[in-house]
Coordinates of all heavy atoms in Angstrom, one line a residue:
A753 N -22.8 0.4 -70.2 CA -21.9 1.5 -69.8 C -20.5 1.0 -69.9 O -20.2 -0.2 -69.8 CB -22.3 1.9 -68.4
I754 N -19.6 1.9 -70.0 CA -18.2 1.6 -69.9 C -17.8 0.9 -68.6 O -18.3 1.3 -67.6 CB -17.3 2.8 -70.2 CG1 -15.8 2.5 -70.4 CG2 -17.5 3.9 -69.2 CD1 -14.9 3.6 -70.9
D755 N -16.9 0.0 -68.7 CA -16.4 -0.7 -67.5 C -15.4 0.2 -66.8 O -14.3 0.5 -67.4 CB -15.7 -2.0 -67.9 CG -15.0 -2.7 -66.8 OD1 -15.1 -2.3 -65.6 OD2 -14.4 -3.8 -67.0
P756 N -15.6 0.7 -65.6 CA -14.7 1.6 -65.0 C -13.3 0.9 -64.6 O -12.3 1.6 -64.4 CB -15.4 2.1 -63.7 CG -16.4 1.0 -63.5 CD -16.8 0.5 -64.8
N757 N -13.3 -0.4 -64.6 CA -12.1 -1.2 -64.4 C -11.5 -1.7 -65.7 O -10.7 -2.7 -65.6 CB -12.4 -2.3 -63.4 CG -12.9 -1.8 -62.1 OD1 -12.3 -0.9 -61.5 ND2 -13.9 -2.4 -61.6
F758 N -11.7 -1.0 -66.8 CA -11.2 -1.5 -68.0 C -9.7 -1.7 -68.1 O -9.2 -2.5 -68.8 CB -11.6 -0.5 -69.2 CG -10.9 0.8 -69.1 CD1 -9.7 1.1 -69.7 CD2 -11.5 1.9 -68.4 CE1 -9.1 2.3 -69.6 CE2 -10.8 3.1 -68.3 CZ -9.6 3.3 -68.9
D759 N -9.0 -0.8 -67.3 CA -7.5 -0.9 -67.3 C -7.0 -2.2 -66.6 O -5.9 -2.6 -66.8 CB -6.9 0.3 -66.7 CG -7.4 0.6 -65.3 OD1 -8.6 0.2 -64.9 OD2 -6.7 1.3 -64.5
Q760 N -7.9 -2.8 -65.8 CA -7.5 -4.1 -65.3 C -8.1 -5.3 -66.1 O -7.5 -6.4 -66.2 CB -8.0 -4.2 -63.8 CG -7.3 -3.3 -62.9 CD -8.3 -2.9 -61.7 OE1 -8.9 -3.7 -61.1 NE2 -8.3 -1.6 -61.4
N761 N -9.3 -5.0 -66.7 CA -10.0 -6.1 -67.4 C -9.6 -6.2 -68.9 O -10.1 -7.2 -69.5 CB -11.5 -6.0 -67.2 CG -11.9 -6.0 -65.8 OD1 -11.2 -6.7 -65.0 ND2 -13.0 -5.4 -65.4
R762 N -8.9 -5.3 -69.4 CA -8.6 -5.3 -70.9 C -7.1 -5.2 -71.0 O -6.4 -4.8 -70.2 CB -9.3 -4.2 -71.6 CG -10.8 -4.3 -71.7 CD -11.4 -3.1 -72.3 NE -12.9 -3.2 -72.4 CZ -13.6 -3.1 -73.5 NH1 -12.9 -2.8 -74.7 NH2 -14.9 -3.1 -73.6
E763 N -6.7 -5.5 -72.3 CA -5.3 -5.4 -72.6 C -5.1 -4.1 -73.5 O -5.9 -3.9 -74.4 CB -4.8 -6.6 -73.4 CG -5.0 -7.9 -72.7 CD -4.0 -8.1 -71.6 OE1 -2.9 -7.6 -71.7 OE2 -4.3 -8.8 -70.6
K764 N -3.9 -3.4 -73.3 CA -3.6 -2.4 -74.3 C -3.1 -3.1 -75.6 O -2.2 -3.9 -75.6 CB -2.4 -1.6 -73.7 CG -2.7 -0.6 -72.7 CD -1.4 0.2 -72.3 CE -1.6 0.8 -70.9 NZ -0.4 1.5 -70.5
V765 N -3.8 -2.7 -76.7 CA -3.4 -3.4 -77.9 C -2.9 -2.4 -79.0 O -2.4 -2.8 -80.0 CB -4.7 -4.1 -78.5 CG1 -5.1 -5.2 -77.6 CG2 -5.8 -3.1 -78.8
D766 N -2.9 -1.1 -78.7 CA -2.5 -0.1 -79.7 C -2.4 1.2 -79.1 O -2.7 1.4 -77.9 CB -3.5 -0.1 -80.8 CG -3.0 0.4 -82.2 OD1 -1.8 0.8 -82.2 OD2 -3.7 0.4 -83.2
T767 N -1.8 2.2 -79.8 CA -1.9 3.6 -79.5 C -2.5 4.3 -80.7 O -2.4 3.9 -81.8 CB -0.6 4.2 -79.1 OG1 0.3 4.1 -80.2 CG2 0.0 3.5 -77.9
H768 N -3.2 5.5 -80.3 CA -3.9 6.3 -81.4 C -3.9 7.7 -80.9 O -4.3 8.0 -79.8 CB -5.3 5.7 -81.6 CG -6.1 6.5 -82.5 ND1 -7.2 7.3 -82.1 CD2 -6.0 6.7 -83.8 CE1 -7.7 7.9 -83.2 NE2 -7.0 7.5 -84.2
N769 N -3.5 8.6 -81.7 CA -3.5 10.0 -81.4 C -2.8 10.3 -80.0 O -3.3 11.2 -79.3 CB -4.9 10.6 -81.4 CG -5.4 11.1 -82.7 OD1 -4.5 11.3 -83.6 ND2 -6.6 11.2 -82.9
G770 N -1.8 9.5 -79.7 CA -1.1 9.8 -78.4 C -1.7 9.1 -77.2 O -1.2 9.4 -76.1
H771 N -2.8 8.4 -77.3 CA -3.3 7.7 -76.2 C -3.4 6.2 -76.4 O -3.2 5.7 -77.6 CB -4.7 8.2 -75.8 CG -5.7 8.3 -77.0 ND1 -6.0 9.5 -77.6 CD2 -6.3 7.4 -77.7 CE1 -6.8 9.3 -78.6 NE2 -7.0 8.0 -78.6
D772 N -3.7 5.4 -75.3 CA -3.8 4.0 -75.4 C -5.1 3.5 -76.0 O -6.1 4.2 -75.9 CB -3.6 3.4 -74.1 CG -2.2 3.6 -73.5 OD1 -1.3 3.5 -74.2 OD2 -2.1 3.8 -72.3
V773 N -5.1 2.4 -76.6 CA -6.3 1.7 -77.1 C -6.4 0.3 -76.4 O -5.4 -0.4 -76.4 CB -6.3 1.5 -78.6 CG1 -7.6 0.7 -79.1 CG2 -6.2 2.8 -79.4
W774 N -7.5 0.1 -75.7 CA -7.7 -1.1 -75.0 C -8.7 -2.1 -75.7 O -9.8 -1.7 -76.1 CB -8.4 -0.7 -73.6 CG -7.6 0.3 -72.8 CD1 -7.5 1.6 -73.0 CD2 -6.6 0.0 -71.8 NE1 -6.6 2.2 -72.1 CE2 -6.1 1.2 -71.3 CE3 -6.2 -1.2 -71.1 CZ2 -5.2 1.3 -70.3 CZ3 -5.3 -1.1 -70.1 CH2 -4.8 0.1 -69.7
G775 N -8.2 -3.3 -76.0 CA -8.9 -4.2 -76.8 C -10.1 -4.9 -76.1 O -10.4 -4.6 -75.0
P776 N -10.7 -5.8 -76.8 CA -10.4 -6.3 -78.1 C -10.8 -5.4 -79.2 O -11.8 -4.7 -79.1 CB -11.2 -7.7 -78.2 CG -12.4 -7.5 -77.3 CD -11.9 -6.6 -76.1
V777 N -10.0 -5.4 -80.2 CA -10.2 -4.6 -81.5 C -10.3 -5.5 -82.7 O -9.4 -6.3 -82.8 CB -9.2 -3.5 -81.7 CG1 -9.4 -2.8 -83.0 CG2 -9.2 -2.5 -80.6
D778 N -11.3 -5.4 -83.4 CA -11.5 -6.2 -84.7 C -12.3 -5.3 -85.6 O -13.6 -5.4 -85.6 CB -12.2 -7.5 -84.4 CG -12.3 -8.4 -85.6 OD1 -11.6 -8.1 -86.6 OD2 -13.0 -9.4 -85.6
E779 N -11.6 -4.4 -86.3 CA -12.3 -3.4 -87.1 C -13.1 -4.0 -88.3 O -12.6 -5.1 -88.8 CB -11.3 -2.4 -87.7 CG -10.6 -1.6 -86.6 CD -9.6 -0.6 -87.1 OE1 -9.4 -0.5 -88.4 OE2 -8.9 0.0 -86.3
P780 N -14.2 -3.5 -88.7 CA -14.7 -2.2 -88.2 C -15.8 -2.3 -87.1 O -16.3 -1.3 -86.6 CB -15.5 -1.7 -89.5 CG -16.0 -2.9 -90.1 CD -14.9 -4.0 -89.9
E781 N -16.0 -3.6 -86.6 CA -17.2 -3.8 -85.7 C -16.8 -3.6 -84.2 O -17.6 -3.2 -83.4 CB -17.8 -5.1 -85.9 CG -18.4 -5.2 -87.4 CD -19.3 -6.5 -87.5 OE1 -19.2 -7.4 -86.6 OE2 -20.1 -6.5 -88.4
D782 N -15.5 -4.0 -83.9 CA -15.1 -3.9 -82.5 C -13.9 -3.0 -82.4 O -12.9 -3.2 -83.0 CB -14.7 -5.3 -82.0 CG -15.8 -6.3 -82.0 OD1 -16.9 -5.9 -81.6 OD2 -15.6 -7.4 -82.5
L783 N -14.1 -1.8 -81.7 CA -13.1 -0.8 -81.8 C -12.5 -0.5 -80.4 O -11.5 0.2 -80.3 CB -13.8 0.6 -82.2 CG -14.4 0.5 -83.6 CD1 -15.1 1.8 -84.0 CD2 -13.3 0.2 -84.7
G784 N -13.0 -1.2 -79.3 CA -12.4 -1.1 -78.0 C -12.6 0.3 -77.4 O -13.5 1.1 -77.7
I785 N -11.7 0.5 -76.4 CA -11.8 1.8 -75.6 C -10.6 2.6 -75.9 O -9.4 2.1 -75.9 CB -11.8 1.5 -74.1 CG1 -13.1 0.8 -73.7 CG2 -11.5 2.7 -73.2 CD1 -13.2 0.4 -72.2
H786 N -10.8 3.9 -76.2 CA -9.7 4.9 -76.5 C -9.5 5.8 -75.3 O -10.4 6.4 -74.8 CB -10.0 5.7 -77.7 CG -9.8 5.0 -79.0 ND1 -9.0 5.5 -80.0 CD2 -10.2 3.8 -79.4 CE1 -9.0 4.7 -81.0 NE2 -9.7 3.6 -80.7
G787 N -8.2 5.9 -74.9 CA -7.8 6.8 -73.8 C -7.7 6.0 -72.5 O -8.2 4.9 -72.3
T788 N -7.0 6.7 -71.5 CA -6.9 6.1 -70.2 C -7.4 7.1 -69.1 O -8.3 6.7 -68.3 CB -5.4 5.8 -69.9 OG1 -5.0 4.8 -71.0 CG2 -5.2 5.1 -68.6
H789 N -6.9 8.3 -69.1 CA -7.5 9.2 -68.1 C -8.9 9.6 -68.5 O -9.8 9.7 -67.7 CB -6.6 10.5 -68.0 CG -7.1 11.4 -67.0 ND1 -7.0 11.2 -65.6 CD2 -7.8 12.6 -67.1 CE1 -7.6 12.2 -65.0 NE2 -8.1 13.0 -65.8
V790 N -9.1 9.9 -69.8 CA -10.4 10.1 -70.4 C -10.6 9.0 -71.3 O -10.0 8.9 -72.4 CB -10.5 11.5 -71.1 CG1 -11.9 11.6 -71.7 CG2 -10.2 12.6 -70.1
A791 N -11.4 8.0 -70.9 CA -11.6 6.8 -71.7 C -13.0 6.8 -72.3 O -14.0 7.0 -71.7 CB -11.5 5.6 -70.8
V792 N -13.0 6.5 -73.6 CA -14.3 6.4 -74.4 C -14.5 5.0 -75.0 O -13.6 4.6 -75.7 CB -14.4 7.5 -75.5 CG1 -15.7 7.4 -76.3 CG2 -14.1 8.9 -75.0
D793 N -15.6 4.4 -74.6 CA -15.8 3.1 -75.1 C -16.4 3.2 -76.5 O -17.6 3.6 -76.6 CB -16.7 2.2 -74.2 CG -16.8 0.8 -74.6 OD1 -16.7 0.5 -75.9 OD2 -16.9 -0.1 -73.7
F794 N -15.6 3.0 -77.5 CA -16.1 3.3 -78.9 C -17.2 2.3 -79.3 O -18.0 2.6 -80.2 CB -14.9 3.2 -79.9 CG -14.1 4.4 -80.0 CD1 -14.2 5.5 -79.1 CD2 -13.2 4.5 -81.1 CE1 -13.4 6.6 -79.3 CE2 -12.5 5.7 -81.3 CZ -12.5 6.7 -80.4
D795 N -17.3 1.2 -78.7 CA -18.4 0.2 -79.0 C -19.7 0.6 -78.4 O -20.7 0.0 -78.7 CB -17.9 -1.2 -78.6 CG -16.7 -1.6 -79.4 OD1 -16.8 -1.4 -80.7 OD2 -15.7 -2.1 -78.8
I796 N -19.7 1.6 -77.5 CA -20.9 2.1 -76.8 C -21.3 3.4 -77.4 O -22.5 3.7 -77.6 CB -20.7 2.2 -75.3 CG1 -20.5 0.8 -74.7 CG2 -22.0 2.8 -74.7 CD1 -20.2 0.8 -73.2
C797 N -20.3 4.3 -77.8 CA -20.6 5.6 -78.3 C -21.5 5.6 -79.5 O -21.3 4.8 -80.4 CB -19.3 6.3 -78.7 SG -19.4 7.9 -79.5
I798 N -22.6 6.4 -79.4 CA -23.6 6.6 -80.5 C -23.4 7.9 -81.2 O -24.3 8.3 -82.0 CB -25.0 6.4 -80.0 CG1 -25.3 7.4 -78.9 CG2 -25.2 5.0 -79.5 CD1 -26.8 7.4 -78.5
A799 N -22.3 8.6 -81.0 CA -22.0 9.9 -81.7 C -23.0 11.0 -81.3 O -23.4 11.8 -82.1 CB -21.9 9.7 -83.2
D800 N -23.5 10.9 -80.1 CA -24.4 11.9 -79.6 C -23.8 13.4 -79.7 O -24.5 14.3 -80.0 CB -24.8 11.6 -78.1 CG -25.6 12.7 -77.5 OD1 -26.9 12.7 -77.7 OD2 -25.1 13.6 -76.9
G801 N -22.5 13.5 -79.3 CA -21.8 14.8 -79.5 C -21.9 15.7 -78.3 O -21.2 16.7 -78.3
A802 N -22.6 15.4 -77.2 CA -22.6 16.2 -76.1 C -21.3 16.4 -75.5 O -21.0 17.6 -75.0 CB -23.6 15.7 -75.0
C803 N -20.5 15.4 -75.4 CA -19.1 15.5 -74.8 C -18.3 16.5 -75.6 O -17.6 17.3 -75.1 CB -18.5 14.2 -74.7 SG -18.3 13.3 -76.3
V804 N -18.4 16.4 -77.0 CA -17.6 17.3 -77.8 C -18.0 18.7 -77.6 O -17.1 19.6 -77.5 CB -17.8 16.8 -79.3 CG1 -16.9 17.7 -80.2 CG2 -17.4 15.4 -79.5
E805 N -19.3 19.0 -77.5 CA -19.8 20.3 -77.4 C -19.5 20.9 -76.0 O -19.3 22.1 -75.9 CB -21.3 20.3 -77.6 CG -21.7 20.1 -79.1 CD -23.2 20.0 -79.3 OE1 -24.0 20.4 -78.4 OE2 -23.6 19.3 -80.3
D806 N -19.6 20.1 -75.0 CA -19.6 20.6 -73.6 C -18.2 20.6 -72.9 O -18.0 21.4 -72.0 CB -20.5 19.8 -72.7 CG -22.0 20.1 -73.0 OD1 -22.2 20.9 -73.9 OD2 -22.9 19.4 -72.4
C807 N -17.3 19.9 -73.4 CA -15.9 19.9 -72.7 C -15.3 21.3 -72.8 O -15.1 21.8 -73.9 CB -15.0 18.9 -73.4 SG -13.4 18.9 -72.6
P808 N -15.0 21.8 -71.6 CA -14.5 23.2 -71.6 C -13.1 23.4 -72.2 O -12.7 24.5 -72.5 CB -14.6 23.6 -70.1 CG -14.5 22.3 -69.4 CD -15.2 21.3 -70.3
V809 N -12.4 22.3 -72.3 CA -11.0 22.4 -72.8 C -10.7 21.6 -74.1 O -9.6 21.3 -74.4 CB -10.0 22.0 -71.7 CG1 -10.0 23.0 -70.5 CG2 -10.3 20.6 -71.1
D810 N -11.8 21.2 -74.7 CA -11.8 20.6 -76.1 C -10.9 19.3 -76.1 O -10.0 19.2 -76.9 CB -11.3 21.6 -77.1 CG -12.2 22.7 -77.4 OD1 -13.4 22.5 -77.1 OD2 -11.8 23.8 -77.8
V811 N -11.2 18.4 -75.2 CA -10.5 17.2 -75.1 C -10.8 16.3 -76.3 O -9.9 15.5 -76.9 CB -10.8 16.4 -73.8 CG1 -10.4 14.9 -73.9 CG2 -10.0 17.0 -72.7
F812 N -12.0 16.4 -76.8 CA -12.5 15.4 -77.8 C -12.4 15.9 -79.3 O -12.6 17.1 -79.5 CB -14.0 15.0 -77.6 CG -14.2 14.5 -76.2 CD1 -14.6 15.3 -75.2 CD2 -13.9 13.2 -75.9 CE1 -14.8 14.8 -73.9 CE2 -14.1 12.7 -74.6 CZ -14.6 13.5 -73.6
E813 N -12.1 15.0 -80.2 CA -12.1 15.3 -81.6 C -12.9 14.2 -82.3 O -12.7 13.0 -82.0 CB -10.7 15.4 -82.2 CG -9.9 16.6 -81.7 CD -8.5 16.6 -82.2 OE1 -8.1 15.7 -83.0 OE2 -7.7 17.5 -81.8
W814 N -13.7 14.5 -83.3 CA -14.4 13.4 -84.0 C -13.4 12.6 -84.9 O -12.5 13.2 -85.5 CB -15.4 14.1 -84.9 CG -16.6 14.6 -84.3 CD1 -17.0 15.9 -84.3 CD2 -17.6 13.9 -83.5 NE1 -18.2 16.1 -83.6 CE2 -18.6 14.9 -83.1 CE3 -17.8 12.6 -83.2 CZ2 -19.7 14.5 -82.3 CZ3 -18.9 12.2 -82.4 CH2 -19.8 13.2 -82.0
I815 N -13.6 11.3 -84.9 CA -12.9 10.5 -85.9 C -14.0 9.6 -86.6 O -15.0 9.3 -86.0 CB -11.8 9.6 -85.3 CG1 -12.3 8.6 -84.4 CG2 -10.7 10.5 -84.7 CD1 -11.4 7.4 -84.2
E816 N -13.7 9.3 -87.9 CA -14.6 8.6 -88.7 C -14.4 7.1 -88.4 O -13.3 6.6 -88.3 CB -14.4 8.8 -90.1 CG -14.4 10.3 -90.5 CD -15.8 10.9 -90.3 OE1 -16.8 10.2 -90.7 OE2 -15.9 12.0 -89.8
T817 N -15.5 6.4 -88.2 CA -15.5 4.9 -87.9 C -16.5 4.2 -88.8 O -17.5 3.6 -88.3 CB -15.7 4.6 -86.5 OG1 -17.0 5.2 -86.1 CG2 -14.7 5.2 -85.6
P818 N -16.3 4.3 -90.2 CA -17.3 3.7 -91.1 C -17.4 2.2 -90.8 O -16.5 1.5 -90.6 CB -16.7 3.9 -92.4 CG -15.3 4.2 -92.2 CD -15.2 4.9 -90.9
G819 N -18.7 1.7 -90.8 CA -19.0 0.3 -90.6 C -19.2 -0.1 -89.2 O -19.5 -1.3 -89.0
H820 N -19.1 0.8 -88.2 CA -19.3 0.4 -86.9 C -20.9 0.4 -86.6 O -21.6 1.3 -87.0 CB -18.7 1.3 -85.8 CG -18.8 0.8 -84.4 ND1 -19.8 1.1 -83.6 CD2 -18.0 -0.1 -83.8 CE1 -19.7 0.5 -82.5 NE2 -18.5 -0.3 -82.5
P821 N -21.4 -0.6 -86.0 CA -22.8 -0.8 -85.8 C -23.5 0.3 -85.0 O -24.7 0.6 -85.3 CB -23.0 -2.2 -85.2 CG -21.6 -2.6 -84.6 CD -20.7 -1.9 -85.5
E822 N -22.8 1.0 -84.1 CA -23.5 2.0 -83.3 C -23.5 3.4 -83.9 O -24.4 4.1 -83.7 CB -22.9 2.0 -81.9 CG -23.1 0.8 -81.0 CD -24.5 0.5 -80.7 OE1 -25.4 1.4 -80.8 OE2 -24.8 -0.7 -80.4
S823 N -22.4 3.7 -84.6 CA -22.3 5.1 -85.2 C -21.0 5.1 -86.0 O -20.0 4.4 -85.7 CB -22.2 6.1 -84.1 OG -21.1 6.0 -83.2
E824 N -21.0 5.9 -87.1 CA -19.9 6.0 -88.0 C -18.9 7.1 -87.7 O -18.1 7.4 -88.5 CB -20.5 6.1 -89.4 CG -21.4 4.9 -89.8 CD -21.3 4.4 -91.2 OE1 -21.2 5.3 -92.1 OE2 -21.4 3.2 -91.4
K825 N -19.1 7.7 -86.5 CA -18.0 8.6 -86.0 C -18.0 8.4 -84.5 O -19.0 8.0 -83.9 CB -18.2 10.0 -86.5 CG -19.4 10.7 -86.0 CD -19.5 12.2 -86.4 CE -20.7 12.9 -85.9 NZ -20.7 14.3 -86.2
K826 N -16.9 8.8 -83.9 CA -16.7 8.6 -82.4 C -16.0 9.8 -81.9 O -15.2 10.5 -82.6 CB -15.8 7.3 -82.1 CG -16.3 6.1 -82.8 CD -17.6 5.6 -82.1 CE -18.1 4.3 -82.9 NZ -19.4 3.9 -82.3
A827 N -16.2 10.1 -80.6 CA -15.5 11.2 -79.9 C -14.2 10.7 -79.3 O -14.2 9.9 -78.4 CB -16.4 11.7 -78.8
D828 N -13.1 11.0 -80.0 CA -11.8 10.5 -79.6 C -11.2 11.5 -78.6 O -11.1 12.7 -78.8 CB -10.9 10.5 -80.9 CG -9.7 9.7 -80.7 OD1 -9.7 8.6 -80.0 OD2 -8.6 10.1 -81.2
P829 N -10.7 10.9 -77.5 CA -10.1 11.8 -76.4 C -8.7 12.2 -76.8 O -7.7 11.9 -76.1 CB -10.1 10.9 -75.2 CG -10.0 9.5 -75.7 CD -10.8 9.5 -77.0
A830 N -8.6 12.9 -77.9 CA -7.3 13.2 -78.5 C -6.4 14.1 -77.6 O -5.2 14.0 -77.7 CB -7.5 13.9 -79.9
N831 N -7.1 14.9 -76.8 CA -6.3 15.8 -75.9 C -6.6 15.5 -74.4 O -6.8 16.4 -73.6 CB -6.7 17.3 -76.2 CG -6.6 17.6 -77.7 OD1 -5.6 17.4 -78.3 ND2 -7.7 18.1 -78.3
E832 N -6.6 14.2 -74.1 CA -6.9 13.9 -72.7 C -6.0 14.5 -71.7 O -6.4 14.7 -70.5 CB -7.0 12.3 -72.6 CG -5.6 11.6 -72.6 CD -5.7 10.1 -72.2 OE1 -6.8 9.6 -71.8 OE2 -4.7 9.5 -72.4
I833 N -4.8 14.8 -72.1 CA -3.8 15.4 -71.2 C -4.3 16.8 -70.7 O -3.9 17.2 -69.6 CB -2.4 15.5 -71.9 CG1 -1.3 15.9 -70.9 CG2 -2.4 16.6 -73.0 CD1 -0.5 14.7 -70.5
Q834 N -5.2 17.4 -71.4 CA -5.7 18.7 -71.0 C -6.9 18.6 -70.1 O -7.3 19.7 -69.6 CB -6.1 19.5 -72.3 CG -5.0 19.8 -73.2 CD -5.5 20.5 -74.5 OE1 -6.6 20.9 -74.6 NE2 -4.6 20.6 -75.5
C835 N -7.4 17.4 -69.8 CA -8.6 17.3 -69.0 C -8.4 17.9 -67.6 O -7.4 17.8 -66.9 CB -8.9 15.8 -68.8 SG -10.3 15.5 -67.8
I836 N -9.5 18.7 -67.2 CA -9.4 19.3 -65.8 C -10.4 18.6 -64.9 O -10.7 19.2 -63.8 CB -9.8 20.8 -65.9 CG1 -11.1 21.0 -66.6 CG2 -8.7 21.6 -66.7 CD1 -11.6 22.5 -66.6
D837 N -10.8 17.4 -65.2 CA -11.6 16.6 -64.3 C -13.0 17.3 -63.9 O -13.4 17.1 -62.8 CB -10.8 16.2 -63.0 CG -9.6 15.4 -63.4 OD1 -9.5 14.9 -64.5 OD2 -8.8 15.2 -62.5
C838 N -13.6 18.0 -64.8 CA -14.8 18.6 -64.4 C -16.0 17.6 -64.4 O -17.1 17.9 -63.9 CB -15.1 19.8 -65.4 SG -15.7 19.2 -67.0
M839 N -15.9 16.5 -65.1 CA -16.8 15.4 -65.1 C -18.1 15.7 -66.0 O -19.0 14.9 -66.0 CB -17.2 14.9 -63.7 CG -16.1 14.6 -62.8 SD -14.9 13.4 -63.6 CE -15.7 11.9 -63.1
L840 N -18.1 16.8 -66.7 CA -19.2 17.2 -67.5 C -19.5 16.1 -68.6 O -20.7 15.7 -68.8 CB -19.0 18.5 -68.2 CG -19.7 19.7 -67.7 CD1 -19.3 20.9 -68.6 CD2 -21.2 19.6 -67.8
C841 N -18.5 15.6 -69.2 CA -18.7 14.6 -70.3 C -19.3 13.4 -69.8 O -20.2 12.8 -70.4 CB -17.4 14.4 -71.0 SG -16.1 13.7 -69.9
V842 N -18.9 12.9 -68.6 CA -19.4 11.7 -68.0 C -20.9 11.9 -67.7 O -21.7 11.0 -67.9 CB -18.7 11.4 -66.7 CG1 -19.3 10.3 -65.9 CG2 -17.2 11.1 -66.9
D843 N -21.3 13.1 -67.2 CA -22.6 13.4 -66.9 C -23.5 13.5 -68.1 O -24.7 13.1 -68.0 CB -22.7 14.7 -66.1 CG -22.1 14.6 -64.7 OD1 -22.0 13.4 -64.2 OD2 -21.8 15.6 -64.1
V844 N -23.0 14.1 -69.2 CA -23.9 14.4 -70.4 C -24.0 13.2 -71.4 O -24.9 13.2 -72.1 CB -23.5 15.6 -71.1 CG1 -23.7 16.9 -70.2 CG2 -22.1 15.5 -71.7
C845 N -23.1 12.3 -71.4 CA -23.2 11.2 -72.3 C -24.4 10.3 -72.1 O -24.6 9.8 -71.0 CB -21.9 10.3 -72.3 SG -22.1 8.9 -73.5
P846 N -25.3 10.2 -73.1 CA -26.6 9.5 -72.8 C -26.4 8.0 -72.7 O -27.4 7.4 -72.2 CB -27.4 9.9 -74.1 CG -26.4 10.2 -75.1 CD -25.3 10.8 -74.4
V847 N -25.3 7.5 -73.1 CA -25.1 6.0 -73.1 C -24.0 5.6 -72.1 O -23.5 4.4 -72.2 CB -24.9 5.5 -74.5 CG1 -26.2 5.5 -75.3 CG2 -23.8 6.1 -75.2
D848 N -23.5 6.5 -71.3 CA -22.4 6.2 -70.4 C -21.2 5.6 -71.0 O -20.7 4.6 -70.5 CB -22.9 5.4 -69.2 CG -23.9 6.1 -68.3 OD1 -23.8 7.4 -68.2 OD2 -24.8 5.5 -67.8
A849 N -20.8 6.2 -72.1 CA -19.6 5.7 -72.8 C -18.3 6.2 -72.3 O -17.2 5.7 -72.7 CB -19.7 6.0 -74.3
I850 N -18.3 7.1 -71.4 CA -17.1 7.8 -70.9 C -16.8 7.6 -69.5 O -17.6 7.6 -68.6 CB -17.2 9.3 -71.2 CG1 -17.6 9.6 -72.6 CG2 -15.8 10.0 -70.8 CD1 -17.8 11.1 -72.9
D851 N -15.5 7.3 -69.2 CA -15.0 7.2 -67.8 C -13.8 8.1 -67.6 O -12.9 8.1 -68.5 CB -14.5 5.7 -67.5 CG -14.0 5.6 -66.1 OD1 -14.9 5.7 -65.2 OD2 -12.8 5.4 -65.9
V852 N -13.9 9.0 -66.6 CA -12.8 9.9 -66.3 C -12.3 9.5 -65.0 O -13.0 9.5 -64.0 CB -13.2 11.4 -66.3 CG1 -12.1 12.3 -65.8 CG2 -13.7 11.8 -67.7
D853 N -11.0 9.2 -64.9 CA -10.3 8.8 -63.7 C -9.8 10.0 -63.0 O -8.7 10.4 -63.2 CB -9.2 7.8 -64.0 CG -8.6 7.3 -62.7 OD1 -9.1 7.6 -61.6 OD2 -7.5 6.7 -62.7
A854 N -10.6 10.6 -62.1 CA -10.3 11.9 -61.5 C -9.5 11.6 -60.1 O -9.2 12.6 -59.5 CB -11.5 12.7 -61.2
S855 N -9.3 10.4 -59.8 CA -8.6 10.1 -58.5 C -7.2 10.4 -58.5 O -6.6 10.4 -59.6 CB -8.8 8.7 -58.1 OG -8.3 7.8 -59.0
Ligands
SF4_669 FE1 -13.5 17.6 -70.7 FE2 -14.4 17.8 -68.2 FE3 -14.6 15.5 -69.6 FE4 -12.2 16.2 -68.8 S1 -14.0 15.7 -67.4 S2 -12.8 15.5 -70.8 S3 -12.4 18.5 -68.9 S4 -15.6 17.4 -70.0
F3S670 FE1 -20.3 9.4 -77.9 FE2 -21.4 9.9 -75.5 FE3 -19.8 11.7 -76.6 S1 -22.4 8.9 -77.2 S2 -20.1 11.4 -78.8 S3 -19.2 9.6 -75.9 S4 -21.6 12.1 -75.5
ZN671 ZN1 -8.2 7.4 -80.2

């Protein structure tokens, strides 16, 4: 599961689609965590898609990640600023790849 304390335990190494990327990143195998308010651990995501389908405000967009061992696309929190903290994505992800900081 994603580390809920990733913002203390990891370093910001990049930005992507207007959000932070938390390392370590070593493409294509290690992609890190994308987003801060809505954080997706790309190294855990298996492209299940439930988050993309269920988010009521379309926070997520697919991005291609060829060569990653878990899946060749990931749910990117491209519109995390629109999140309404419903927590649906956290509940439906089968591998607990998502952390939403609703506090
Ligand atoms: Fe979308 Fe709700 Fe997840 Fe926020 S908590 S990203 S609104 S599903
Ligand atoms: Fe990935 Fe979980 Fe969404 S596996 S596509 S973050 S439901
Ligand atoms: Zn991203």
